[in-house]
Amino acid sequence: MPSTPAPSRLSAPAWCALALAAVAVGLVHRHVTVTGPDADRFTFDSAEYALAGRAWLESGRLETPFVHPAALGSAPGPPFPLLVGHPLVPALDALAFAIAGRTPDATLLPPLLAFVACVLLVARLAWALAGSRAAAIAAAAAFATSPWALRFACEGRTEMPFAALLTAALLLLCELPVTPRPLALGVVLGLAHLARPVVVPLLPALALGFWLLSPPAQRARSGLRALAGFLPVASLTAIYKWAATGSPFQEVGGYLLLTGISPEWAVARLNRMTPPPDALAWVREHPAAYAEKIVRGVRSIAYGAWLSAGRGPSALAALAALVTIVRGDARARRFALALVAMTTLLALLAAATVADPRMLFPLLAPGVALSFAAIARLAKPLGGSRRPVLAIAAALAVLTSAVPLVRQWQALRFGDPRARSGLSASEWRELGAAVAPLLPGRGLVASDAAPWIAWYTRRPTTAVPLAPDELLTWPERLRPQAVVLTNEYLVHQPLEGAWRALLERDQPPAGFRLAGHVHAGSLEAVVFTRVPSR
């Protein structure tokens, strides 16, 4: 009896076409949303990574001129070791700076390449789950036109590189029954850990998927090979911290467990506490309040992710997971169970720390692949009518992403420029040039916009403390020699009235004197320098 032929893969020209289309969509989106309107290339996080990447390229060491006040006590320097964040994105930024020059625009190259990789991986994962070229192409198109994906394709943060690595790991996981590559799976997960420190908390879900999908006779051997790939790569962060601080377990982000419990414990305030509160002690003393925070965070994250991914795609992904678990073949069903477990763990982890919907973004790509694989599976019994039905369903699903994207482009390209929010890159560049001559030649600078000031003035920086009178209470080695206060964000927030008063009145804090007040478009900054001690 003749065997059923295996479903044909996408051809090499088809893969090239998908990659070129992804590059084109990414470049158009970057032009419309970032470079065209001269939007700021940095977010707070991406500026931190860019600083570390530039320092790495120039010194040959992983270090940074910026540190949060919460880490000042445990961080030697300046320059400081990279204790907040992980090293993969700074490494990618260093490579981008070496190729394209040390400019903020170069930081947009790694996320664009990761976006293209994600598009191709989505297609490959959809094909692995359904064996349908139409589903693979439609899934790639849906991800490539997702406004949520394109947003992170134009930001130099960890989201898109981590998403690409996690999707690659999930593809290797899905292919374990057919083409076991446990060593490669471990290495990819190790690299993902270097991009964002959430792989270890996700290991139970990944272990579940490994157990369900790996051939029973090879589980033990394959598990050892996966660990052999993961541990050496993932341990690089601990080895680096050990060498830089004397402890491989030096972690300054534990206080983020308290985020959102009260207005006083917002992220922007916790990072500025010296020393930060003992989060574990507080959780032990207030378990009910912490449980309430987690429940509230899960609701917020789920709703935010549903809006960010789009109501239609989110509903389709949830329905696809259910259909796959109930009616899918053995491999697809087991993969869907692992993906649901991973989504649950990641949502709980985010709710326990910073309840931001973007924490679930890395699961958008596998969710899209699973959705179109489910569509292809449901259309399979239709026989000859399968292809047109699949094409119509795929087109409708893609349109749910493409239509909001086109509307966004239209509003940004042809809308009122005054309606656009945010500061421009040229304003930050001009402000940095105006502030630099007012700063002392040496010493730490405290600022509400510390990463931007560090980038444009090349001075070591930290964030301002919670109150101006704390500037002189830090240890002498860590006391700032200057303060740069801007109207960018902090002074407009609740509980920050003391800093707002200093900016509006040009009133120096105790121990400082006014050095100048500068403007760059709608951006302004007041500079205070420390009064020399007698």
Side-chain angles (χ1 to χ4, degrees), residues 16 44 51 60 85 93 99-100 108 173 182 211 332 335 340 346 353 369 438 443 464 469 522:
C16 291
F44 199 101
L51 287 168
D93 282 346
I99 296 169
L108 303 180
L173 188 69
W211 178 266
F335 177 82
V340 169
L346 194 54
T353 52
L438 303 177
V464 294
D469 57 8
S522 60

Side-chain angles (χ1 to χ4, degrees), residues 50-122:
L51 287 168
R54 186 175 67 179
W56 201 344
L57 177 65
E58 294 176 348
S59 70
R61 298 185 300 273
L62 179 56
E63 58 190 23
T64 175
F66 167 75
V67 66
H68 288 289
L72 269 174
S74 58
F80 307 99
L82 185 69
L83 299 181
V84 178
H86 270 44
L88 183 67
V89 173
L92 296 175
D93 282 346
L95 289 173
F97 292 146
I99 296 169
R102 283 163 276 189
T103 67
D105 281 342
T107 64
L108 303 180
L109 180 59
L112 175 64
L113 295 178
F115 169 73
V116 175
C118 254
V119 170
L120 299 179
L121 287 165
V122 166

Side-chain angles (χ1 to χ4, degrees), residues 118 121-122 124-126 128-129 162-177 179 181 184-186 188-189 192 202 205-210 213 331-332 334-343 346 360-370:
C118 254
L121 287 165
V122 166
R124 184 67 183 81
L125 182 56
L129 288 168
F162 179 73
L165 288 167
L166 185 63
T167 306
L170 289 173
L171 173 61
L172 291 168
L173 188 69
C174 180
E175 292 185 334
L176 278 176
T179 313
R181 285 174 286 184
L185 173 60
V188 172
L189 286 174
L202 293 179
L206 290 165
L208 172 65
F210 192 91
L213 289 162
R331 180 168 65 146
R334 292 166 182 170
F335 177 82
L337 285 170
L339 187 59
V340 169
M342 192 176 303
T343 303
L346 194 54
L360 291 185
F361 168 75
L363 298 177
L364 175 66
V368 170
L370 188 67

Side-chain angles (χ1 to χ4, degrees), residues 11 103 214 393 502:
S11 63
T103 67
S214 59
L502 298 187

Side-chain angles (χ1 to χ4, degrees), residues 114-522:
F115 169 73
V116 175
C118 254
V119 170
L120 299 179
L121 287 165
V122 166
R124 184 67 183 81
L125 182 56
W127 185 89
L129 288 168
S132 166
R133 287 180 294 179
I137 293 172
F143 183 83
T145 55
S146 166
W148 205 16
L150 285 166
R151 170 194 165 186
F152 292 120
C154 299
E155 290 184 2
R157 299 201 281 193
T158 61
E159 273 74 14
M160 194 57 75
F162 179 73
L165 288 167
L166 185 63
T167 306
L170 289 173
L171 173 61
L172 291 168
L173 188 69
C174 180
E175 292 185 334
L176 278 176
V178 181
T179 313
R181 285 174 286 184
L183 182 64
L185 173 60
V187 171
V188 172
L189 286 174
L191 291 172
H193 178 74
L194 297 184
R196 182 181 283 182
V198 298
V199 173
V200 171
L202 293 179
L203 284 180
L206 290 165
L208 172 65
F210 192 91
W211 178 266
L212 292 174
L213 289 162
S214 59
Q218 302 177 21
R219 276 177 187 153
R221 182 181 175 186
S222 296
L224 290 175
R225 294 185 68 189
L227 286 175
F230 175 73
L231 290 176
V233 180
S235 63
L236 290 176
T237 301
I239 294 171
Y240 166 76
K241 290 181 178 180
W242 195 357
T245 68
S247 171
F249 307 109
Q250 184 68 41
E251 180 56 60
V252 298
Y255 55 81
L256 294 179
L257 292 170
L258 303 177
T259 301
I261 289 176
S262 71
E264 291 80 6
W265 284 345
V267 174
R269 293 180 62 82
L270 286 168
N271 284 333
R272 293 155 52 209
M273 294 182 180
T274 50
D278 187 340
L280 292 179
W282 190 94
V283 171
R284 284 194 297 267
E285 294 173 4
H286 306 85
Y290 189 67
E292 182 182 348
K293 161 194 154 70
I294 293 177
V295 172
R296 186 172 63 249
V298 168
R299 289 199 300 263
S300 174
I301 291 167
Y303 183 69
W306 180 60
L307 292 179
S308 297
R311 293 177 174 85
S314 298
L316 179 60
L319 183 61
L322 179 62
V323 168
T324 303
I325 291 172
V326 174
R327 298 188 54 183
D329 58 49
R331 180 168 65 146
R333 184 168 61 252
R334 292 166 182 170
F335 177 82
L337 285 170
L339 187 59
V340 169
M342 192 176 303
T343 303
T344 304
L345 275 181
L346 194 54
L348 288 172
L349 176 64
T353 52
V354 181
D356 192 326
R358 68 185 174 92
M359 299 301 176
L360 291 185
F361 168 75
L363 298 177
L364 175 66
V368 170
L370 188 67
S371 298
F372 284 89
I375 291 174
R377 189 174 297 106
L378 290 175
K380 194 172 183 179
L382 298 177
S385 304
R386 179 175 65 90
R387 288 190 175 182
V389 171
L390 178 58
I392 293 172
L396 291 174
V398 170
L399 284 175
T400 60
S401 294
V403 170
L405 176 64
V406 171
R407 288 175 179 169
Q408 181 187 8
W409 286 356
Q410 185 178 23
L412 290 171
R413 182 67 179 85
F414 302 107
D416 186 353
R418 294 172 298 180
R420 297 171 184 166
S421 60
L423 299 165
S424 69
S426 58
E427 285 175 319
W428 278 112
R429 190 166 52 249
E430 293 167 10
L431 187 82
V435 165
L438 303 177
L439 298 176
R442 300 180 64 183
L444 192 64
V445 177
S447 176
D448 63 304
W452 286 267
I453 299 302
W455 178 269
Y456 289 108
T457 69
R458 287 186 169 266
R459 302 298 206 281
T461 64
T462 187
V464 294
L466 293 184
D469 57 8
E470 295 181 28
L471 289 167
L472 298 180
T473 63
W474 292 347
E476 183 63 32
R477 179 182 70 87
L478 306 174
R479 291 180 187 175
Q481 297 299 309
V483 176
V484 179
L485 196 59
T486 77
N487 65 334
E488 184 260 341
Y489 173 79
L490 180 73
V491 297
H492 305 297
Q493 302 309 304
L495 307 177
E496 306 294 350
W499 292 110
R500 183 165 56 251
L502 298 187
L503 175 68
E504 293 173 350
R505 302 171 188 172
D506 286 345
Q507 176 185 344
F512 290 80
R513 62 188 175 191
L514 178 66
H517 196 134
V518 298
H519 293 79
S522 60

